[in-house]
Amino acid sequence: MTLSSTVNAWFEQHGRTLPWREPGFTAWGTLVSEIMLQQTPVARVIPRLETWLTRWPTPAALAAEPPGEAVRAWERLGYPRRALALHAAATEIVEKHGGVVPSDVTVLLGLPGIGDYTARAVAAFAYGLRHPVVDTNVRRVIARAIAGQGEAGPPSTRRDLAAMEALLPEDAAAAQLTNAGVMELGAIVCTARAPRCEVCPLATTCAWRAAGYPDYEGPRAAVQKKFEGSDRQMRGLIMAELRASDIPVTRDEIDRVGTDAAQRGRALSGLLKDGLVVAVSGGYELP
């Protein structure tokens, strides 16, 4: 059996039941879910996704409201610039694409905030088109099962897409399963810290396992700084103040957030620059 057929058979039996995998899930829902899932655990995304799609079941519904409402509804998913980008994408989908999420990867890449992974994920998972879809989990499975390395190292779009492309069957439906299956395998079995090799469908053919699990000695991706005490945390605290208020938040109120005045100033300046906060008469509010 090929790697794809092995993974596909495993995925059909063991893949998790998730909203975006249900029959009839819309392309808009797929786009929203993929953006929400960026650097956010599945368990946190599911309830927020349901609430979001109930309120805004189409791009037109979201585009009809101010972008600040998208930021408010984002709540504590993190990286709220994603909410602004999603609102901007919805607006462009309405204005340039008749309210229909495009299926073409190149067109999808032209939407605000849509990167290579998200564009290919929408094309593959929402429209069933044959494209390699690569995230961190996919890269790790390929690094171990094919290259015999414990880690994938720094990402390379061209190299990573080519590696996944080589694994995809020609049939579009089977390729869609392989994309989802390899991703799922990395998420729940071939995990970063505690791979469950005893239940892995690729255990007998895994190059890393066959080599005796050698330590990774190649280049490493940059490690994100700790969240606790970071400027990112301060940004989140300021955003929480604005989301909780229906009127402008005064500078005095913001100055009571945290204890580091210099950090608070940097965070507020960054939020203003990113368009997540707007200065108005009386203070600051969401856009």
Side-chain angles (χ1 to χ4, degrees), residues 198-211:
E198 70 280 3
V199 297
C200 180
L202 302 179
T204 59
T205 58
C206 176
W208 187 48
R209 185 171 184 260

Side-chain angles (χ1 to χ4, degrees), residues 40-199:
T40 305
V42 167
R44 289 181 59 202
V45 166
I46 290 176
R48 183 55 40 210
L49 175 67
E50 181 179 0
T51 301
W52 186 285
L53 292 179
T54 297
R55 181 175 179 180
W56 298 307
T58 64
L62 177 59
E65 296 208 37
E69 286 303 301
V71 176
R72 193 184 304 276
W74 202 254
E75 292 191 354
R76 297 183 62 82
L77 281 179
Y79 301 96
R81 277 178 290 186
R82 293 181 293 170
L84 277 186
L86 191 49
H87 186 278
T91 301
E92 190 157 317
I93 288 169
V94 171
E95 294 177 350
K96 296 185 178 180
H97 305 289
V100 178
V101 176
S103 61
D104 183 84
V105 168
T106 301
V107 178
L108 284 162
L109 284 169
L111 296 175
I114 305 302
D116 199 74
Y117 166 79
T118 303
R120 291 173 179 275
V122 170
F125 298 140
Y127 292 107
L129 301 178
R130 187 187 179 280
H131 293 287
V133 182
V134 178
D135 71 350
T136 300
N137 292 315
V138 170
R139 296 178 62 247
R140 183 168 56 254
V141 171
I142 292 176
R144 290 173 176 172
I146 305 298
Q149 299 178 340
E151 299 178 25
S156 165
T157 299
R158 185 172 65 176
R159 183 185 65 237
D160 295 338
L161 288 175
M164 188 59 187
E165 169 71 31
L167 300 179
L168 292 183
E170 288 302 316
D171 178 74
Q176 182 179 2
L177 272 182
T178 301
N179 276 316
V182 173
M183 198 175 296
E184 185 79 337
L185 190 65
I188 67 175
V189 174
C190 191
T191 58
R193 296 185 180 178
R196 301 163 57 219
C197 300
E198 70 280 3
V199 297

